Amino acid sequence: MAKIIPFKAVRPTRDKVSLIAARSYDSYRPEQVEARLRDNPFSFLHIVNPGYKYQQVTSGAQRYKLVRNRYQEFKEDEYFIKDTAPSFYIYKIVNRDGLEFNGIVAAASAQDYEDDVIKKHEDTLEYKETIFVEYLKTVGFNAEPVLLTYPDNKDLDSIIAKIMETRAEYEFTTTYRDTHYMWPVANVELVTQITSIFAEIKTLYIADGHHRSSSSYLLAKKSEAENDKHNGTESYNFFMSYLIPESDLKIYEFNRLIKDLNGLKKDEFLIKLDEIFRIENRGHEYYKPSKKHHFSMYLDGDFYSLYLRKDYYTINNALDALDTHILYATILKPILGIEDVRNDTRLEYSHGKNDLAFLKSAVDKGEFAVGFGMLPVTTSEMKQIADEGLKMPPKSTYIEPKLRSGVTIYEF
């Protein structure tokens, strides 16, 4: 059963939350980071990019210590406050496309991660885990929740809806045109009800944040080994999460772009594909697949539809049935020679919000030789992969909602 608990968040004052809140650092282009650091002294980016104060690029242990220093300065300047009572945080996002997400920011159990109560569907990289563990240990806080999803629950829906009838503590719209709302919940009766409901839920699934959750788990194990008085209630035993019902999850596909045809001429490449797929040249028609195991391909100015030949490919488990794996197993690896989809520089990814026009443009510019599109992974596919203990290929899902960093902060 899931152990989800309230915590005392460090969070911005109401008047500064819109200025402090920031997207994940990696989602900004360099010129965007520079503009925000230059024009907004309150941006959370000043904390995660602390060398800007000295016009220097920092890394490793030096950067982690400076992140800690910038964070302490924000607290000392009273840009942040810390709640006095353990709280849940009802969080609502209405994005620029009109999609609405309602969930709860809370602390999830690292032990549940180990016990597979919190299930994973994606592999993690050891070097990233190691780096992030050292980062967390040095800075002493986490500012970006892991996105967890749970089966739709009428009782939780009712509590969330009732709380959202009151005035939100935060209501702000970002330059990205997403509107965020947040309600702290410290009422003991409500906290107990929410905790009890989650205690009856058998399984939670990581939707986004596999490296953050695995690193938080490793930090918990490391901290436990170093603490002779460990009792399981320490803050390092938990990690900040944003929990939303499965029906609220929005999953987009990640399309694939490949820089060359692995030495093949166009006709040679198409003949090899014909062994595996039924191929139709769609010309300039923007073709997007409508069924699983159907793919879109853009090559040399034309779109193609690729339908997997059923007698060619055998499905034995949930991973075999996943379109991102099928593309890898039938084209990327055997024909295009891409074995390491994590590190091969010939392969790049474009999430589905960029649509097929983006894919076409990238190929037409000569940056890539061919592009492939597919349907998004479904929530049920994601869960089945996790339930069978399998792992998706990287960049199989682009999942919303995307939270802002610095709105709620969890200290260890």
Side-chain angles (χ1 to χ4, degrees):
M1 301 302 181
K3 186 172 185 179
I4 300 297
I5 65 169
F7 67 100
K8 299 176 184 178
V10 174
R11 54 188 180 85
T13 56
R14 183 187 289 179
D15 63 314
K16 293 194 174 59
V17 62
S18 63
L19 297 169
I20 289 175
R23 300 202 311 269
S24 173
Y25 184 81
D26 292 339
S27 70
Y28 291 100
R29 297 190 302 274
E31 63 271 20
Q32 291 177 315
V33 172
E34 173 64 28
R36 282 159 174 77
L37 291 172
R38 181 186 65 242
D39 300 333
N40 180 5
F42 303 107
S43 174
F44 196 78
L45 294 177
H46 281 283
I47 293 176
V48 295
N49 190 13
Y52 182 80
K53 182 176 181 178
Y54 305 106
Q55 295 298 302
Q56 289 188 6
V57 175
T58 59
S59 61
Q62 181 189 53
R63 174 176 170 261
Y64 306 161
K65 291 175 182 177
L66 289 175
V67 167
R68 177 73 179 177
N69 292 346
R70 293 295 89 75
Y71 175 63
Q72 293 298 334
E73 288 168 8
F74 268 51
K75 291 174 69 176
E76 291 164 4
D77 291 338
E78 298 184 346
Y79 302 160
F80 287 131
I81 58 172
K82 183 169 183 176
D83 287 323
T84 57
S87 304
F88 288 117
Y89 301 88
I90 306 302
Y91 205 107
K92 172 182 175 180
I93 302 172
V94 180
N95 76 5
R96 63 194 299 175
D97 300 319
L99 296 175
E100 183 175 315
F101 308 96
N102 300 307
I104 301 174
V105 177
S109 167
Q111 188 63 46
D112 282 355
Y113 180 91
E114 180 177 23
D115 294 341
D116 214 28
V117 173
I118 297 174
K119 295 201 173 210
K120 312 90 181 166
H121 67 261
E122 188 176 288
D123 274 330
T124 54
L125 299 175
E126 185 177 353
Y127 81 91
K128 282 192 174 183
E129 292 175 338
T130 301
I131 290 171
F132 201 53
V133 167
E134 291 307 310
Y135 172 83
L136 292 175
K137 189 172 179 61
T138 302
V139 304
F141 68 86
N142 199 337
E144 188 176 351
V146 172
L147 182 62
L148 299 179
T149 187
Y150 58 86
D152 287 22
N153 185 289
K154 291 182 179 179
D155 292 333
L156 280 175
D157 288 347
S158 178
I159 291 172
I160 291 171
K162 189 69 175 176
I163 291 169
M164 289 195 304
E165 291 175 0
T166 63
R167 182 192 177 192
E169 173 69 9
Y170 296 155
E171 178 180 352
F172 64 97
T173 300
T174 69
T175 54
Y176 206 61
R177 290 183 290 167
D178 295 341
T179 303
H180 297 246
Y181 307 81
M182 196 268 280
W183 294 260
V185 179
N187 177 276
V188 175
E189 183 178 347
L190 285 174
V191 165
T192 301
Q193 287 180 26
I194 293 170
T195 304
S196 299
I197 292 170
F198 276 113
E200 296 300 316
I201 294 176
K202 293 182 180 179
T203 306
L204 303 171
Y205 293 85
I206 299 173
D208 192 21
H210 282 78
H211 282 97
R212 275 171 280 146
S213 50
S214 62
S215 299
S216 296
Y217 164 72
L218 292 172
L219 176 66
K221 295 291 108 178
K222 186 173 184 177
S223 300
E224 177 182 349
E226 295 172 354
N227 184 3
D228 293 337
K229 297 181 179 179
H230 172 86
N231 59 29
T233 64
E234 297 87 356
S235 57
Y236 59 68
N237 293 292
F238 300 87
F239 57 94
M240 185 168 64
S241 301
Y242 179 47
L243 299 107
I244 66 170
E246 291 173 5
S247 60
D248 269 14
L249 210 59
K250 177 63 176 175
I251 305 178
Y252 296 89
E253 70 276 16
F254 260 107
N255 297 322
R256 271 64 173 151
L257 289 156
I258 297 90
K259 293 184 177 179
D260 60 66
L261 298 182
N262 197 28
L264 298 171
K265 296 179 181 178
K266 174 184 172 181
D267 290 345
E268 294 172 332
F269 179 58
L270 289 172
I271 288 172
K272 285 184 176 291
L273 289 182
D274 192 76
E275 298 176 15
I276 310 161
F277 298 92
R278 179 179 173 180
I279 304 174
E280 182 178 345
N281 187 326
R282 303 276 181 152
H284 299 303
E285 173 193 349
Y286 279 69
Y287 171 71
K288 185 176 177 66
S290 59
K291 294 181 180 179
K292 289 293 181 184
H293 313 335
H294 289 189
F295 300 86
S296 171
M297 181 176 73
Y298 185 70
L299 172 69
D300 193 27
D302 289 329
F303 279 98
Y304 295 79
S305 58
L306 307 181
Y307 300 163
L308 182 66
R309 297 187 187 277
K310 295 179 181 179
D311 58 351
Y312 179 87
Y313 186 84
T314 302
I315 295 174
N316 297 311
N317 54 40
L319 180 61
D320 290 338
L322 202 68
D323 281 350
T324 52
H325 180 73
I326 291 172
L327 190 69
Y328 169 71
T330 60
I331 301 178
L332 299 186
K333 181 179 178 180
I335 298 177
L336 295 177
I338 296 173
E339 299 206 17
D340 184 355
V341 289
R342 290 185 179 276
N343 299 307
D344 196 313
T345 57
R346 296 166 56 223
L347 170 65
E348 292 190 18
Y349 302 92
S350 169
H351 60 69
K353 294 193 79 174
N354 283 336
D355 68 35
L356 292 175
F358 180 90
L359 184 145
K360 177 181 183 298
S361 176
V363 175
D364 286 346
K365 289 177 183 177
E367 298 170 1
F368 300 92
V370 63
F372 296 96
M374 64 202 84
L375 288 179
V377 173
T378 65
T379 302
S380 60
E381 285 179 309
M382 183 185 77
K383 290 174 60 180
Q384 190 173 359
I385 290 282
D387 289 342
E388 293 184 18
L390 302 169
K391 299 293 186 295
M392 293 183 184
K395 301 294 185 182
S396 287
T397 57
Y398 179 84
I399 296 179
E400 289 191 338
K402 300 292 185 187
L403 271 76
R404 288 298 193 267
S405 295
V407 180
T408 55
I409 298 172
Y410 182 79
E411 294 186 328
F412 315 123

